[in-house]
Amino acid sequence: MKAIIQRVTSAKVTVGDEVVSSIGRGLCVLVGISADDNANDVEWIARKLLNLRLFDEPSTGKRWTESVIDQRLEILCVSQFTLYHRLKGNRPDFSRAMQGPEAQQLYGSLLKKLRDQYAPERVLDGRFGAMMQVHIQNDGPVTLEIESPVQSEQERQKLQRSLDHQAKSAGKNTGKPVESVERSVESNTK
């Protein structure tokens, strides 16, 4: 998972003439999801976004000391599949990006994690899959790129065991057959 993070004084997303979301001071984050991403990548990106020290300490002016949480600022996330491109000659190829429903679900889990770990009203987003216009007033300008680390096979297996356990528990609690829950979990981790 990759994120382009921009420190902003304001940002908004429009679709056509409709303003979908807008924030004041905080972070505007373009989020790309690769075909190999899973819940571990979501956890890593969420932790980084909430804890990056991109803001000055107000009373002392000391630079790069406070996070978005420290200053109770806003985050505007925008799904951006084009971050996982490669060029074939002069034409971009997006085959490394995760496709539609799976990407939307993983992107949704990132938003949920950010909202759960911070404040739901301070984490906004655009409209997944829409042709959006992103308007930003970059502050600094400050723009960073981060990407979750490649996971070892052992880490992937550990995540799969955890998801399998959750699926079995969910199957017992919901009365759904365990096999259908496991199939759902498998499709979400690929």
Side-chain angles (χ1 to χ4, degrees):
M1 190 171 282
K2 188 182 290 189
I4 305 297
I5 305 157
Q6 298 176 304
R7 187 176 73 184
V8 298
T9 56
S10 65
K12 69 179 179 178
V13 173
T14 59
V15 175
D17 293 333
E18 177 190 359
V19 175
V20 175
S21 293
S22 66
I23 65 169
R25 194 159 176 259
L27 300 176
C28 182
V29 183
L30 306 177
V31 179
I33 301 171
S34 82
D36 297 326
D37 287 338
N38 59 39
N40 289 339
D41 300 286
V42 168
E43 179 68 38
W44 191 90
I45 290 288
R47 187 175 57 251
K48 284 293 184 188
L49 289 176
L50 294 175
N51 293 293
L52 277 172
R53 297 171 188 257
L54 298 179
F55 299 93
D56 301 347
E57 202 283 312
S59 62
T60 65
K62 190 172 180 184
R63 302 186 75 186
W64 313 109
T65 58
E66 295 203 337
S67 69
V68 69
I69 290 176
D70 294 330
Q71 295 197 3
R72 306 289 299 157
L73 302 174
E74 296 174 297
I75 301 172
L76 175 59
C77 292
V78 179
S79 61
Q80 184 73 45
F81 76 94
T82 62
L83 293 180
Y84 278 103
H85 75 282
R86 63 178 154 218
L87 292 178
K88 289 187 172 181
N90 290 325
R91 185 183 195 121
D93 171 68
F94 305 111
S95 61
R96 292 178 25 203
M98 186 177 283
Q99 299 300 305
E102 295 85 11
Q104 187 171 11
Q105 184 172 21
L106 211 54
Y107 176 70
S109 69
L110 173 63
L111 293 171
K112 181 177 182 343
K113 183 146 309 264
L114 289 169
R115 289 172 177 146
D116 289 349
Q117 293 179 3
Y118 183 32
E121 70 281 1
R122 294 186 186 271
V123 178
L124 295 111
D125 68 302
R127 187 172 293 155
F128 190 91
M131 182 61 78
M132 296 174 276
Q133 293 75 47
V134 181
H135 310 264
I136 66 162
Q137 185 70 45
N138 201 316
D139 182 18
V142 173
T143 302
L144 301 177
E145 178 181 356
I146 61 172
E147 186 168 12
S148 57
V150 175
Q151 297 166 35
S152 69
E153 186 57 33
Q154 183 179 12
E155 290 169 318
R156 288 186 175 278
Q157 289 174 1
K158 182 179 176 183
L159 175 64
Q160 187 60 51
R161 285 191 303 272
S162 172
L163 292 171
D164 289 345
H165 178 73
Q166 289 173 10
K168 287 178 184 175
S169 295
K172 289 177 187 172
N173 294 337
T174 64
K176 285 184 180 179
V178 172
E179 295 81 26
S180 68
V181 174
E182 287 175 341
R183 276 194 298 274
S184 172
V185 168
E186 283 176 12
S187 68
N188 294 335
T189 59
K190 291 182 181 177

